[in-house]
Amino acid sequence: MSIFISGIILLGLFFLSLILSYPYKRLFGVKPSGKYTVYLHLLGWGMLVVGMILSIKTYGVGIGITYWFGYITLMAFLLVIGLSYKTKKEKKC
Amino acid sequence: MKDTFTKSMSWLHTWASLLLGWLLFFIFLTGTLGYFQKEITQWMKPELPISVNKFTQQELVQIAMNHLKKEAPSSKKWLIKLPNSRENILSVTWSHVRKDKATAMGGHGGGRGKRTTHIINPHTKEIVKPRRTGGGGLLYRMHYRLHYVNARTVGRYIVGIASMLMLIGLITGIIIHLRKILKDFFTFRQDRNLHSWLDGHIFTSVLALPFHLMITYSGLAFFVFTYMPLTALANYDGDMRNYIQEAFPREKAIKIQGIKEPLASIEQMRKNAEAYFGSPIKSISIINQGDSSAIVNFTRENSTLFSSEKADKVYFSGIDGKMIENQSPNRPKATRARDILTGLHRGDFANIYARWLYFLSGVLGTFMIATGLVIWTKKREAKQKDTLGFKLVDNLNMVTIAGLPIAVAVYFWANRLIPIDVPKRAMQEADAMFIAWLAVSVFVFSVNSRKMWVVLFYLSATLYALLPISNFFLTGRHLAITIAQGDWTLVWMDLMLFFTGLAFWYTGHKVQKKISS
């Protein structure tokens, strides 16, 4: 279950990161058009909320919320490392 | 003060954080290691029996009970600590109570007679005497009461002031950065000097921001009585003891009846307790065995944070083995609120996955402080390079950020190299750590060059990477044995030490490239 929750949070954060110009440019080479910003917001935050609900259902309110913050920290950490790795690879090309 | 609000906040952020930044680095590093203090202690006591986890709890309780019956038949206070997911140790403790006194259930003897603890090797049923060491617990205790500071309150005050400054640093940091928090959330630009340092600082701060806020605030809650004693003194006739008594009620004392009765089956009680908790047992305490007033209580392995303490203990009558009313005292609501804060700080409830999350967050916090300290020098490099203040900060950064890990590595090496029968051995290990740190400081300040970063990182790398290898020669608890026996705590410790070495080597390599270019 914890892997499932982590995955959902990672996806949510990934969608949110696409709204910002820096990660988007790294991934696709162009600036974001801003067309899908609303949907990305909805998807990203929606998935974070789903992650929180699942976490609370699994671990109870107190520990669930604590773990949820922990999951976000870990997943955002992985995402940032992943994005900067992509940057380095592109530079070498 | 500065002309705009943000600028004032920025000024405060810079100077409040710099003032005790090096101490905060020490507190964060040792505190983060504290999340694995039991694992570190076990690694530092290689005499402990290996693969104790192959025994069932039933077998272990039987071995412990036999040992207690043989060694302490007349003691009225027995305690059995069982191996659990974090500690691979079976130990028994007993103390003798004066006949006219009642036996207190909780607490640590408290002058009620000498306590004796034996660690038992379940394979041979013999007593194990591991080397004397401060272990991970010493590192953990350093993060809130420092070392060589004998008066407890002095250490707490210094750490408390540092925590307050940390809290100021965090809040001003949030204010400065408020508008850009989401924008910079995923940004980490590499290889661009000040930019990458700033990104690194922001990303380590923002990612674990809930943790940083929680850990700093709850850290202050631990010693709230030391920091703000007047409220309690004013309301409890100027005597802190009255207040402590009401805030932390003790467990009841059980009077010895003097009527001999045999103890009921512990195994049956253990089974019932396990079923009641739905999780394994951590410890068993047996009060007044052999008497008609006998009571047995069991503590569960994973404590629950947000329910009352009562949920973690269950009591049985020692005569008929039936579950009886919970004897734990009711803690006042204010105490419970503090319990939650301190429990959250220590990660009492954390399973292994959450423990790693705590550890990662702590590492991020340590990096946040380190990057912040480096940014101070980076920003002033161009203009103030030759000033005394700049050099002082620059050198202190080296001593702390690159030097403290060396001191910790030396602490581990001292554990391996100091002869086992030396008096005050545990103290000497700690002395070795601080002598090493002092040596690094003298070295850094006399050389006075940025190249010392590289030297220190490579030295760290060597010290850490060689520790697991030294186990082949010094302790016999090396990876080949620990993997074969399935003692994963020791396996992980060795691997982590080795990876720490690699990480320092990589950092040294990177810094060397940057300095030479």
Side-chain angles (χ1 to χ4, degrees):
Chain A
M1 193 64 188
S2 48
I3 292 170
F4 184 64
I5 300 173
S6 311
I8 284 190
I9 287 175
L10 182 63
L11 261 178
L13 288 172
F14 176 69
F15 286 133
L16 284 178
S17 79
L18 288 182
I19 300 166
L20 310 169
S21 66
Y22 174 81
Y24 194 93
K25 242 179 110 180
R26 294 300 136 204
L27 282 174
F28 302 111
V30 287
K31 279 201 164 183
S33 61
K35 238 187 193 166
Y36 304 108
T37 309
V38 182
Y39 300 109
L40 286 172
H41 263 296
L42 281 176
L43 255 174
W45 286 110
M47 290 190 103
L48 288 187
V49 170
V50 170
M52 188 182 210
I53 293 169
L54 285 177
S55 185
I56 289 175
K57 281 219 156 181
T58 320
Y59 305 106
V61 180
I63 294 184
I65 293 174
T66 314
Y67 277 9
W68 183 72
F69 278 121
Y71 284 133
I72 290 184
T73 301
L74 180 67
M75 291 304 130
F77 177 75
L78 294 178
L79 194 59
V80 171
I81 297 292
L83 283 170
S84 71
Y85 176 72
K86 175 92 180 161
T87 321
K88 267 178 88 183
K89 230 174 144 187
E90 272 178 357
K91 267 187 190 164
K92 274 181 194 161
C93 289
Chain B
M1 277 287 130
K2 305 287 169 176
D3 44 358
T4 66
F5 180 65
T6 321
K7 273 190 182 165
S8 305
M9 286 297 119
S10 181
W11 178 88
L12 191 58
H13 184 77
T14 308
W15 296 101
S17 312
L18 181 75
L19 197 59
L20 288 176
W22 302 287
L23 178 63
L24 281 171
F25 184 86
F26 174 84
I27 296 171
F28 257 74
L29 189 96
T30 45
T32 302
L33 290 174
Y35 285 122
F36 285 114
Q37 53 162 318
K38 288 184 178 168
E39 289 78 358
I40 294 175
T41 305
Q42 198 172 325
W43 184 88
M44 289 176 87
K45 291 180 176 175
E47 292 81 10
L48 290 174
I50 208 162
S51 62
V52 176
N53 48 6
K54 286 189 181 143
F55 290 85
T56 61
Q57 281 209 331
Q58 183 182 356
E59 289 166 338
L60 291 168
V61 171
Q62 196 54 49
I63 293 169
M65 285 300 285
N66 289 343
H67 190 87
L68 281 167
K69 276 177 198 158
K70 200 174 89 192
E71 297 283 332
S74 62
S75 162
K76 292 295 170 213
K77 199 171 173 181
W78 287 353
L79 176 70
I80 303 171
K81 277 191 181 166
L82 294 164
N84 53 58
S85 55
R86 295 189 59 202
E87 262 180 317
N88 242 340
I89 300 169
L90 171 68
S91 75
V92 294
T93 302
W94 67 88
S95 50
H96 287 282
V97 186
R98 284 219 307 272
K99 275 218 171 95
D100 50 325
K101 293 264 174 160
T103 318
M105 285 207 272
H108 297 288
R112 288 180 200 89
K114 205 177 145 226
R115 263 160 56 97
T116 316
T117 297
H118 281 176
I119 296 173
I120 307 169
N121 179 348
H123 300 281
T124 59
K125 321 243 180 335
E126 278 167 3
I127 304 165
V128 186
K129 286 201 172 129
R131 61 185 66 189
R132 294 192 170 274
T133 171
L138 184 78
L139 290 173
Y140 168 75
R141 283 191 297 279
M142 272 179 202
H143 101 275
Y144 62 81
R145 67 175 198 210
L146 311 176
H147 198 68
Y148 300 123
V149 184
N150 284 331
R152 263 187 204 175
T153 44
V154 177
R156 284 178 192 172
Y157 268 119
I158 297 172
V159 174
I161 292 167
S163 313
M164 272 317 290
L165 288 172
M166 173 93 186
L167 204 55
I168 293 175
L170 283 174
I171 291 168
T172 49
I174 296 170
I175 294 171
I176 302 165
H177 205 64
L178 199 58
R179 263 178 267 164
K180 292 188 290 181
I181 263 188
L182 195 64
K183 189 162 168 277
D184 286 344
F185 198 87
F186 302 104
T187 310
F188 184 44
R189 289 162 290 195
Q190 290 191 350
D191 303 324
R192 262 201 259 162
N193 235 347
L194 184 62
H195 254 158
S196 34
W197 282 107
L198 273 175
D199 284 349
H201 187 57
I202 293 166
F203 125 77
T204 46
S205 319
V206 175
L207 282 190
L209 190 61
F211 172 83
H212 299 327
L213 285 169
M214 176 280 283
I215 213 78
T216 315
Y217 185 75
S218 59
L220 286 165
F222 270 87
F223 302 119
V224 66
F225 329 109
T226 315
Y227 302 144
M228 294 194 284
L230 291 180
T231 328
L233 287 175
N235 287 298
Y236 288 84
D237 303 330
D239 192 347
M240 207 63 175
R241 272 172 303 183
N242 296 338
Y243 165 67
I244 297 286
Q245 219 162 37
E246 192 177 319
F248 304 100
R250 290 198 168 190
E251 279 185 283
K252 267 191 259 173
I254 308 290
K255 223 172 158 35
I256 299 166
Q257 298 294 326
I259 306 162
K260 281 197 177 169
E261 287 263 12
L263 197 63
S265 153
I266 291 282
E267 179 47 27
Q268 195 53 47
M269 289 185 242
R270 190 194 64 79
K271 273 189 191 148
N272 290 344
E274 202 175 71
Y276 174 79
F277 289 139
S279 81
I281 309 298
K282 189 166 86 180
S283 66
I284 307 170
S285 95
I286 300 154
I287 307 295
N288 293 351
Q289 54 88 19
D291 190 79
S292 63
S293 62
I295 283 186
V296 182
N297 87 58
F298 293 80
T299 316
R300 66 190 281 168
E301 186 180 329
N302 294 321
S303 67
T304 44
L305 177 64
F306 293 96
S307 55
S308 75
E309 193 198 36
K310 288 194 165 189
D312 293 333
K313 273 186 181 175
V314 63
Y315 293 78
F316 293 90
S317 152
I319 306 307
D320 54 13
K322 287 209 173 107
M323 201 184 284
I324 55 170
E325 194 195 344
N326 199 310
Q327 308 279 316
S328 300
N330 278 324
R331 281 157 94 85
K333 287 218 167 66
T335 308
R336 290 282 313 136
R338 179 182 172 276
D339 286 347
I340 287 177
L341 279 176
T342 53
L344 208 54
H345 187 101
R346 286 193 302 249
D348 283 346
F349 62 93
N351 56 21
I352 188 67
Y353 185 58
R355 200 158 282 282
W356 276 102
L357 279 179
Y358 263 103
F359 184 76
L360 173 77
S361 306
V363 170
L364 286 175
T366 316
F367 271 97
M368 167 181 78
I369 297 166
T371 47
L373 286 169
V374 172
I375 286 170
W376 190 94
T377 58
K378 287 274 167 202
K379 276 193 172 167
R380 285 157 188 79
E381 209 171 14
K383 285 184 190 161
Q384 314 176 352
K385 202 169 182 185
D386 297 316
T387 58
L388 191 68
F390 180 86
K391 278 195 176 147
L392 180 72
V393 172
D394 205 28
N395 283 342
L396 277 174
N397 280 356
M398 266 184 259
V399 167
T400 318
I401 299 167
L404 181 60
I406 293 182
V408 174
V410 167
Y411 177 61
F412 291 150
W413 273 102
N415 173 261
R416 296 306 201 225
L417 295 176
I418 295 176
I420 288 173
D421 44 4
V422 167
K424 293 193 177 167
R425 192 176 182 284
M427 294 263 279
Q428 289 198 5
E429 285 177 5
D431 289 343
M433 172 175 168
F434 285 99
I435 290 169
W437 206 10
L438 186 70
V440 169
S441 323
V442 172
F443 199 35
V444 165
F445 274 92
S446 53
V447 175
N448 205 6
S449 153
R450 281 246 165 113
K451 286 194 178 133
M452 285 303 292
W453 279 111
V454 185
V455 177
L456 294 179
F457 281 138
Y458 279 144
L459 184 61
S460 259
T462 319
L463 286 172
Y464 279 103
L466 288 181
L467 272 169
I469 296 162
S470 79
N471 278 336
F472 281 92
F473 309 103
L474 296 171
T475 64
R477 284 277 188 274
H478 50 78
L479 276 172
I481 292 225
T482 47
I483 291 176
Q485 296 277 349
D487 201 318
W488 302 114
T489 307
L490 294 180
V491 174
W492 270 108
M493 269 300 294
D494 270 359
L495 288 180
M496 278 309 286
L497 288 168
F498 189 71
F499 285 131
T500 310
L502 279 189
F504 275 118
W505 178 82
Y506 180 74
T507 318
H509 178 68
K510 278 258 165 184
V511 176
Q512 191 179 21
K513 253 180 34 189
K514 201 157 248 176
I515 288 180
S516 55
S517 67

